[in-house]
Amino acid sequence: MKSITTSISEKMTLEDKIVFFRFKAGLIYGILVFISSLFITPQTLNPYAWATSILAYHATIIYVAVKYRPLTRFQLYLRGLATFYATWILTVIILFELVKLLGV
């Protein structure tokens, strides 16, 4: 019997898989930036977070090229770009707000 996630991933198109992977990468990167902000002031962390996000995105390009074998350069370089950046920025903002709301 196939698992639910296997059947869902079989139904996804190539572009869906790329965008979903970049969503997961953005979520992980956002969590790492938030954890880093607990030890480094946000003003100091900000330039490093943005510079490192470029490197993280390039890592997703390499992974997508090897794993999914995209058909066009658009799929390789641009598909999911906004998803990656929006996800990591929103993850950090939401985690900051949750911590503030909890009073931690």
Side-chain angles (χ1 to χ4, degrees):
M1 183 173 173
K2 294 182 182 181
S3 68
I4 293 173
T5 56
T6 304
S7 64
I8 291 173
S9 66
E10 288 175 355
K11 293 178 183 177
M12 293 173 77
T13 65
L14 174 65
E15 292 189 353
D16 291 340
K17 290 177 184 178
I18 293 170
V19 171
F20 188 62
F21 169 71
R22 291 203 167 127
F23 169 79
K24 292 188 292 188
L27 185 66
I28 292 168
Y29 186 72
I31 292 169
L32 292 174
V33 168
F34 174 74
I35 292 170
S36 299
S37 72
L38 299 175
F39 302 103
I40 303 170
T41 61
Q43 294 81 9
T44 305
L45 179 64
N46 193 22
Y48 294 109
W50 279 100
T52 309
S53 73
I54 296 167
L55 297 174
Y57 189 77
H58 280 287
T60 68
I61 291 171
I62 294 168
Y63 182 83
V64 165
V66 172
K67 172 88 175 176
Y68 299 116
R69 307 257 186 232
L71 305 173
T72 64
R73 288 188 176 148
F74 179 80
Q75 290 174 333
L76 179 62
Y77 295 111
L78 296 177
R79 179 63 63 204
L81 176 69
T83 302
F84 173 79
Y85 279 96
T87 302
W88 84 260
I89 292 168
L90 288 173
T91 300
V92 173
I93 291 170
I94 290 169
L95 289 175
F96 267 120
E97 292 299 319
L98 282 175
V99 167
K100 189 168 61 172
L101 182 68
L102 296 173
V104 177

